[in-house]
Amino acid sequence: MTISLSQCFIAVDDHDAALAFYRDALGLEVRNDVSFEGMRWVAVGAPDQPGVEIVLEPPAVNASDTDRRTMAELLAKGLLRGVIFATDDCDATFARIMGAGGEVVQEPTDQPYGLRDCAFRDPAGNLLRFTQRLA
């Protein structure tokens, strides 16, 4: 039996802004864009990982009004989901995302556990880290 990651979900409050970031700044491809009953889900993924998708979803689907307000507040603070991406060149990745207007959280830094990493927030406030293994 094998188990592998297929999809993960990130809450976004503006799909067009999220697409500009994930597609244009990060270079991910759009795999699906679905609207249903006033909501929208967009699946994106790395071209070299066809079996793994990040689904950009509306926050608090099927939640009460109170829970939706709470989720919106947490999203605005950047306290919801995050994703860690692997890269073969942390500095070039940093330069590309910063050049596209990404909100910098951490510049490229060598970590004592054998990684060089940097971090950004997406347009919804989600934390994204980009890691490169050091030789």
Side-chain angles (χ1 to χ4, degrees), residues 2-54:
T2 62
I3 297 175
S4 60
L5 178 64
S6 172
Q7 295 177 321
C8 62
F9 293 79
I10 295 179
V12 299
D13 52 4
D14 180 338
H15 281 85
D16 292 328
L19 268 177
F21 182 79
Y22 286 90
R23 180 193 57 216
D24 303 338
L26 299 188
L28 302 180
E29 61 186 16
V30 176
R31 305 234 176 103
N32 205 356
D33 191 338
V34 178
S35 295
F36 179 72
E37 294 185 359
M39 293 180 281
R40 183 178 178 194
W41 292 265
V42 179
V44 297
D48 61 343
Q49 286 185 301
V52 180
E53 295 178 337
I54 298 170

Side-chain angles (χ1 to χ4, degrees), residues 52-113:
V52 180
E53 295 178 337
I54 298 170
V55 179
L56 307 173
E57 68 173 346
V61 175
N62 299 322
S64 69
D65 288 341
T66 300
D67 289 344
R68 270 195 289 281
R69 282 191 299 276
T70 300
M71 288 290 289
E73 290 171 8
L74 292 171
L75 182 61
K77 292 178 181 180
L79 295 176
L80 296 183
R81 302 174 181 120
V83 175
I84 299 175
F85 292 91
T87 179
D88 60 356
D89 189 334
C90 184
D91 294 284
T93 300
F94 179 83
R96 175 183 174 159
I97 298 169
M98 191 175 77
E103 180 187 340
V104 177
V105 174
Q106 175 199 307
E107 293 187 8
T109 304
D110 289 344
Q111 301 295 351
Y113 40 86

